[in-house]
Amino acid sequence: MADTDAKSGGSSLSKALMVLKEVCCAQDPMRFADLVERSELPKATAHRILNTLVDEGLVRFEDHSQLYHPGYGLLELAHKAWSSMDIRDLAADQMKALWQETGETIHLAVLDRSEVIYIDKVESQKSLRLFSAVGKKGPAYCTGVGKAMIAYLGEEELADTISKQSFIKHTDTTLDTEEKLRNELEKIRQTGVSLDMQEHEEGIQCAASVIFNYRNEPIAALSITAPVFRVNDERFELFQKRIKEACQEVSKRMGAMASA
């Protein structure tokens, strides 16, 4: 009897999930008859499942139009799921893949007010000493990861972040004015890739891109960092392509609707 009940429960759950997916994935709100036709369920079964989904807030029914829509309860569930995710876990396989492909140092960073903080790093096995270390902070205006994230801030938050930058000239190529930085941020928004061309450390360059959350807010960035002498133009173009792809994949896992 227990086995029969388990199979029955599993079957009921599968049917409920199927109906929920039909409602959520349809281009337009659906009528009951359309749902029955698409799901191929008996009317009584479909009606029972829909009533349960409506009661749980996962499906919304409009009396005046007799249409079923995705329910607001889905947003609550999504928020709880996404808020419990650790970006380091979600990005780990992408970081490893980038490291295996390039042999260079891979960084994962977040924005902490007006600064960058490195929260994970896969170190190159080749000889290279970098400023970065897990837990260490750095400037946003002259690092690839920093520019990648601030490029997508809202104007008010961006203005506040820029106002807190020191614009100290670390190298000859450091962006040392707000105008230069804003011009660079516009390029980043167009390409989806942020470059550090020896702006923070002499002889070190990187390609970075942004990771978005389910609200399409910039929450982190990944970068590939290497010494200039090891990276020709063709290889650096590959870095830019791969870092963008990796960030798009992690953004998708975070529920982002679109990425840079």
Side-chain angles (χ1 to χ4, degrees), residues 39-254:
S39 66
E40 298 182 349
L41 292 173
K43 289 183 179 180
T45 301
H47 191 266
R48 184 182 70 254
I49 290 172
L50 285 166
N51 282 344
T52 300
L53 293 174
V54 169
D55 289 342
E56 294 296 326
L58 302 180
V59 169
R60 180 166 51 91
F61 179 67
E62 288 186 345
D63 288 324
H64 68 278
S65 65
Q66 297 291 294
L67 293 174
Y68 289 93
H69 304 255
Y72 299 125
L74 292 169
L75 295 176
E76 181 182 3
L77 288 176
H79 174 71
K80 289 179 178 178
W82 287 319
S83 63
S84 66
M85 290 180 180
D86 188 330
I87 188 66
R88 290 169 296 186
D89 293 336
L90 292 178
D93 65 329
Q94 292 299 312
M95 293 181 70
K96 183 177 180 181
L98 291 170
W99 175 76
Q100 289 176 331
E101 283 183 54
T102 66
E104 302 296 351
T105 299
I106 313 301
H107 291 112
L108 174 64
V110 296
L111 199 60
D112 183 22
R113 292 182 289 275
S114 60
E115 295 181 293
V116 164
I117 182 167
Y118 296 93
I119 62 172
D120 206 355
K121 179 180 181 180
V122 184
E123 192 81 59
S124 172
Q125 294 182 340
K126 302 172 184 177
S127 177
L128 174 65
R129 292 188 64 186
L130 294 172
F131 161 87
S132 65
V134 173
K136 194 167 187 177
K137 289 188 176 182
Y141 70 97
C142 60
T143 54
V145 287
K147 291 185 294 181
M149 289 182 281
I150 67 174
Y152 294 92
L153 296 176
E155 181 52 42
E156 184 176 344
E157 189 176 1
L158 175 60
D160 180 64
T161 299
I162 289 178
S163 72
K164 295 174 181 174
Q165 301 305 305
S166 66
F167 288 111
I168 293 172
K169 202 164 179 61
H170 297 276
T171 72
D172 290 341
T173 58
T174 302
L175 303 177
D176 56 357
T177 68
E178 178 176 342
E179 181 181 6
K180 291 178 182 178
L181 177 59
R182 282 188 176 273
N183 288 338
E184 182 74 7
L185 297 180
E186 180 57 35
K187 293 177 184 178
I188 293 168
R189 286 188 285 268
Q190 292 174 2
T191 63
V193 178
S194 169
L195 305 180
D196 173 356
M197 306 301 288
Q198 305 184 65
E199 295 164 40
H200 189 221
E201 295 181 76
E202 195 74 46
I204 301 297
Q205 64 186 37
C206 83
S209 193
V210 66
I211 296 170
F212 295 100
N213 66 6
Y214 67 97
R215 292 194 181 104
N216 276 15
E217 299 166 334
I219 59 163
L222 285 172
S223 69
I224 305 171
T225 303
V228 174
F229 70 83
R230 275 209 300 261
V231 185
N232 58 27
D233 290 345
E234 182 179 358
R235 192 160 184 249
F236 198 48
E237 286 181 7
L238 175 63
F239 286 4
Q240 295 172 53
K241 177 178 181 291
R242 286 295 295 114
I243 201 68
K244 184 175 179 179
E245 291 172 346
C247 286
Q248 287 174 336
E249 174 58 32
V250 181
S251 294
K252 187 190 304 181
R253 296 172 186 178
M254 290 297 297

